[in-house]
Amino acid sequence: MSNDIKNEIKKRRTFAIISHPDAGKTTLTEKFLLYGGAINTAGSVKGKATSKHAVSDWMEIEKERGISVTSSVLQFNYDGYCINILDTPGHQDFSEDTYRTLMAADSAVMVIDASKGVEAQTRKLFKVCTMRHIPIFTFINKMDREAMDTFELLDDIEHELGIATCPVNWPIGSGKNFKGVYDRREKEVELFSDTKKGTTQGEVRKVKFNDPEIAWLIDDSQRVQLEEEIELQDGAGAEFDQELVSRGELSPVFFGSALTNFGVETFLQHFLKMTSSPLPRKADKGEIDPMEEPDFSAFVFKIQANMNKAHRDRIAFMRICSGEFEAGMEVYHMQGGRKVRLSQPQQMMASERKIIDKAYGGDIIGVFDPGIFSIGDTLTTSGERFAYEGIPTFAPEHFARVRQVDTMKRKQFIKGISQIAQEGAIQIFQEYNTGMEEIIVGVVGVLQFDVLKYRLENEYNVEIRMDSLPYEYIRWIENEDVDLAKLVGTSDMKKVKDLRDRPLLLFVNEWSIRMTQERNEGLVLSEFGR
C-alpha cells in the first residue's frame, strides 16, 4: 500500500453523535461544520434566531417537525484531519437507524442536556456502544441554562451507564451566571464573548487561574466554589487514561453550550487528539486492518430512497473499511455474487451532494443503488473473497395492516412500500398463503407509521389506510425445513413471511411464544433476523 493512501487513512476520524431528543445534537453538529469552514452561519434548528432549518435535516417532515428522522452523513476538514460525522436521529422511534449507524462509526459523541442528565434513549444507545467497545466522549450541553450540580451529572453518567468519567474541563456557574470553563490540565480559565446567538465563531479568551486579572472576570464566591470542586474532583475522580478511553471504559467529559458555541472548538480539538484513525473490522476471514489491507473493501449500513424528489433515486451509504475508492471502479458484491460498477459516488451535506473522485478507509460515501444492495452487504476488490459481519435486524414492536385507498395505484403502492422497507425503516410481511394484497407493516417506533404515510403520499402519490394490529412480539423461525401449515400455535398467533419468504410468527402475548415452542418439538425461534 502506498504511503499516500496510508497518510490519507491516518487523517480520517469517523464518529456518530448520539443523544436523547432535544439535547442539542444537531446544533452541535452544525457548530463543528462552522469551525471546519463547511458553512458560514449556523441556522438554529428551531429557527428562532434565523429562519433556516438545520443543515443536516433534509426530509420535509424533519423541517416541519424540527426533528431528525434519518441519519445524515457530513464530511469536513479541520486542522489537518478529515472528519466524517454521522448525525443520528435522537427520537426513540428511529432508534434502529441509529443502531445501524453506530456500526459504521469508530467512536461516539454523547450529548447530554445539563438540566436533565442521562435520559432513557441514551441508555439504549449506550448499550450498543458498550457491546462494540466504542470509545465514548461526553459533551454536557446547555450550560447557558440552569444546570444540575456538576458532581450529580457525573454520578448520573457513571451510575446510569456504568462507565467511569473524567472531566477534561469544569464549568464555572450555569444559566445567567455561566462564565466559562476551567481547563484542568492547563490550569486556565476559558472565557467567551458573545457569538451573536451562536451564528459566528466568537473569540476565545484564556486566562491562567493564578493571574490577578481573574478577580475581575469571575466573582469571589464562584472562584472559591471552583477551587473546592476541583480539589474534590482531583482527590476522588478517575485519572485520564488514554487506553481506557480507547477501550470504551472511560469517557472524557466536556462542558459547554452548542447554541452559543461555548466550548465547542475546545471539545473538537481534544476529541481529535484522543480518538484514533480508522480501526480494524471483523470479517469472516478475521480482522481487516485498514493499515495493512491494500484492497478496497466496504459495507452498506444504510439505504435511502428519494433523497432527490426530481430523480427518484436510491442511495446506498457505505463505510469504507480499507483501501482507496475511485469513482466508477468495479468491485465484487459478495451477497450478489457478481461484479458491479459503483457509479455517481457522492458525499453529503444533508441534501446537498458533492460528486467525488476518491475516498479512503474511514470515509462514508453514498453510491447510486439500482436496487441490488441490502443493509449489511460487503463490497471489495480483494481476490480473497470475504464478508464483514452482518448488521442485526431489530424486532419490530408495533404492527399495522396497510392497504391503498385507490386500487388503481397498486403498482405505485407496492413499489413505494418495498423501497421504504429496503431502507430498513420499516419491515413488511405478508400473511402466510396470500399475495401482496394484504400487507402487514412492523416498526420499532410508532412515529415510523407517520413517516411511512407521509412518504407514500408525497413521494409515490399513494394514499393509504392503516389498521393497527394487537401483536407485540415477533419471532423468526430458525429451522430450515419447517412446514408452516403443520405448525401448532396459540389462538393469538399469526403466521407471516417476510420479503425474502422467510417464515415468521407474530404473537400478542409473550407466554404464547413459550407455549408454541412446547407444542412443536425442536422449533427454534429467534428474536433477531439475520
Side-chain angles (χ1 to χ4, degrees):
M1 195 194 318
S2 76
N3 280 340
D4 286 355
I5 295 177
K6 270 191 177 167
N7 290 336
E8 284 293 345
I9 295 174
K10 270 185 196 153
K11 280 181 1 193
R12 278 12 193 205
R13 294 290 182 276
T14 305
F15 67 92
I17 298 197
I18 58 175
S19 83
H20 193 81
D22 233 26
K25 175 170 52 65
T26 304
T27 311
L28 183 65
T29 307
E30 289 209 333
K31 298 312 162 79
F32 286 154
L33 299 175
L34 185 65
Y35 286 107
I39 51 175
N40 298 325
T41 61
S44 163
V45 188
K46 298 276 189 298
K48 282 177 191 156
T50 54
S51 61
K52 291 186 171 186
H53 300 290
V55 175
S56 58
D57 289 346
W58 59 270
M59 234 186 228
E60 285 302 319
I61 193 167
E62 295 182 304
K63 293 173 185 173
E64 282 173 21
R65 298 197 183 192
I67 57 168
S68 296
V69 172
T70 56
S71 305
S72 317
V73 187
L74 310 160
Q75 190 189 61
F76 68 100
N77 291 292
Y78 176 86
D79 199 19
Y81 294 95
C82 178
I83 300 158
N84 292 284
I85 301 184
L86 294 147
D87 177 20
T88 63
H91 200 289
Q92 63 188 29
D93 284 7
F94 305 102
S95 52
E96 197 171 354
D97 199 34
T98 306
Y99 295 133
R100 283 196 292 267
T101 302
L102 283 169
M103 301 294 283
D106 292 318
S107 56
V109 170
M110 179 164 67
V111 186
I112 286 177
D113 184 327
S115 65
K116 295 177 183 167
V118 178
E119 296 173 86
Q121 188 52 23
T122 323
R123 278 182 220 123
K124 211 168 166 187
L125 297 173
F126 191 83
K127 276 186 185 161
V128 181
C129 294
T130 43
M131 218 161 69
R132 290 198 50 227
H133 305 289
I134 295 182
I136 293 175
F137 298 81
T138 305
F139 184 78
I140 295 182
N141 192 22
K142 303 193 180 180
M143 289 305 299
D144 54 331
R145 301 185 191 175
E146 289 307 316
M148 279 167 67
D149 172 75
T150 309
F151 287 108
E152 270 180 43
L153 277 165
L154 297 174
D155 279 352
D156 195 29
I157 296 168
E158 298 198 353
H159 174 70
E160 288 286 349
L161 306 178
I163 187 173
T165 58
C166 173
V168 174
N169 53 32
W170 197 266
I172 303 165
S174 71
K176 288 191 171 68
N177 299 318
F178 182 48
K179 293 285 192 292
V181 290
Y182 169 77
D183 186 316
R184 291 179 62 206
R185 204 178 72 184
E186 302 298 330
K187 294 189 171 33
E188 60 187 16
V189 172
E190 273 186 37
L191 303 128
F192 269 58
S193 63
D194 179 40
T195 58
K196 300 189 182 94
K197 290 194 176 174
T199 52
T200 56
Q201 294 184 16
E203 291 296 311
V204 185
R205 191 163 167 215
K206 295 181 178 181
V207 183
K208 285 285 179 197
F209 194 59
N210 54 13
D211 190 315
E213 195 189 352
I214 279 287
W216 293 95
L217 300 167
I218 55 176
D219 60 43
D220 286 352
S221 64
Q222 279 189 317
R223 202 178 77 235
V224 170
Q225 187 185 351
L226 178 65
E227 282 172 343
E228 285 172 358
E229 288 180 342
I230 292 300
E231 195 178 328
L232 194 59
Q233 180 60 31
D234 288 349
E239 293 277 311
F240 178 78
D241 181 331
Q242 183 62 55
E243 202 173 303
L244 290 178
V245 172
S246 301
R247 288 209 304 262
E249 290 169 25
L250 177 71
S251 179
V253 180
F254 300 80
F255 294 84
S257 155
L259 197 62
T260 60
N261 300 352
F262 204 123
V264 174
E265 191 167 29
T266 306
F267 170 66
L268 187 57
Q269 288 164 347
H270 279 90
F271 170 78
L272 292 169
K273 290 191 189 99
M274 293 175 184
T275 48
S276 66
S277 51
L279 300 166
R281 294 256 151 189
K282 282 187 186 144
D284 53 11
K285 71 164 190 176
E287 287 210 326
I288 308 292
D289 188 338
M291 286 299 162
E292 286 167 18
E293 174 64 57
D295 293 309
F296 165 85
S297 68
F299 67 88
V300 176
F301 69 93
K302 173 184 168 67
I303 290 169
Q304 188 73 56
N306 301 332
M307 283 190 75
N308 183 339
K309 261 180 109 168
H311 298 298
R312 292 264 173 260
D313 59 352
R314 271 165 63 99
I315 300 289
F317 286 94
M318 48 185 77
R319 152 78 193 230
I320 302 177
C321 301
S322 66
E324 178 184 42
F325 169 85
E326 286 182 349
M329 74 192 291
E330 203 175 53
V331 298
Y332 187 76
H333 177 208
M334 285 298 297
Q335 284 72 8
R338 62 189 176 127
K339 287 193 169 178
V340 292
R341 193 171 295 285
L342 299 181
S343 62
Q344 300 171 25
Q346 43 204 293
Q347 269 161 348
M348 304 288 160
M349 178 67 91
S351 60
E352 288 172 28
R353 312 157 178 217
K354 169 177 93 186
I355 299 290
I356 53 160
D357 299 324
K358 285 189 186 317
Y360 301 90
D363 280 341
I364 306 289
I365 59 165
V367 299
F368 172 71
D369 175 17
I372 57 171
F373 298 127
S374 295
I375 286 163
D377 284 4
T378 298
L379 302 150
T380 180
T381 56
S382 169
E384 194 183 341
R385 308 282 186 231
F386 64 86
Y388 285 106
E389 41 172 26
I391 297 176
T393 307
F394 285 81
E397 291 162 28
H398 308 275
F399 298 88
R401 184 178 278 110
V402 177
R403 48 174 83 97
Q404 84 270 29
V405 175
D406 181 353
T407 48
M408 301 299 284
K409 293 191 173 171
R410 185 78 201 145
K411 218 168 158 186
Q412 289 104 299
F413 171 65
I414 298 290
K415 183 185 174 185
I417 209 155
S418 305
Q419 286 193 342
I420 296 170
Q422 279 168 330
E423 292 174 21
I426 61 166
Q427 291 176 47
I428 59 176
F429 310 101
Q430 290 162 253
E431 293 213 28
Y432 172 62
N433 274 344
T434 67
M436 285 290 264
E437 51 275 0
E438 281 284 298
I439 288 180
I440 294 170
V441 171
V443 296
V444 175
V446 284
L447 204 54
Q448 287 284 20
F449 285 135
D450 291 354
V451 174
L452 173 66
K453 197 170 167 35
Y454 183 94
R455 289 189 62 189
L456 282 171
E457 280 174 23
N458 285 275
E459 293 170 18
Y460 299 93
N461 197 19
V462 175
E463 217 182 311
I464 56 164
R465 245 204 311 273
M466 259 190 267
D467 306 309
S468 61
L469 296 169
Y471 307 105
E472 285 181 28
Y473 304 95
I474 186 167
R475 292 293 181 268
W476 278 263
I477 297 174
E478 294 279 322
N479 313 56
E480 298 269 311
D481 49 357
V482 78
D483 182 354
L484 264 191
K486 290 182 180 163
L487 209 63
V488 183
T490 51
S491 57
D492 67 341
M493 182 187 92
K494 191 175 200 57
K495 300 171 185 177
V496 294
K497 56 187 183 190
D498 67 8
L499 280 180
R500 297 190 208 163
D501 267 352
R502 291 180 301 188
L504 296 102
L505 302 174
L506 302 182
F507 300 92
V508 175
N509 303 301
E510 203 172 4
W511 53 262
S512 307
I513 302 168
R514 197 178 60 249
M515 198 173 270
T516 303
Q517 282 179 300
E518 284 167 7
R519 288 177 180 175
N520 300 274
E521 209 182 316
L523 182 68
V524 184
L525 300 177
S526 145
E527 212 173 321
F528 291 105
R530 281 193 249 295

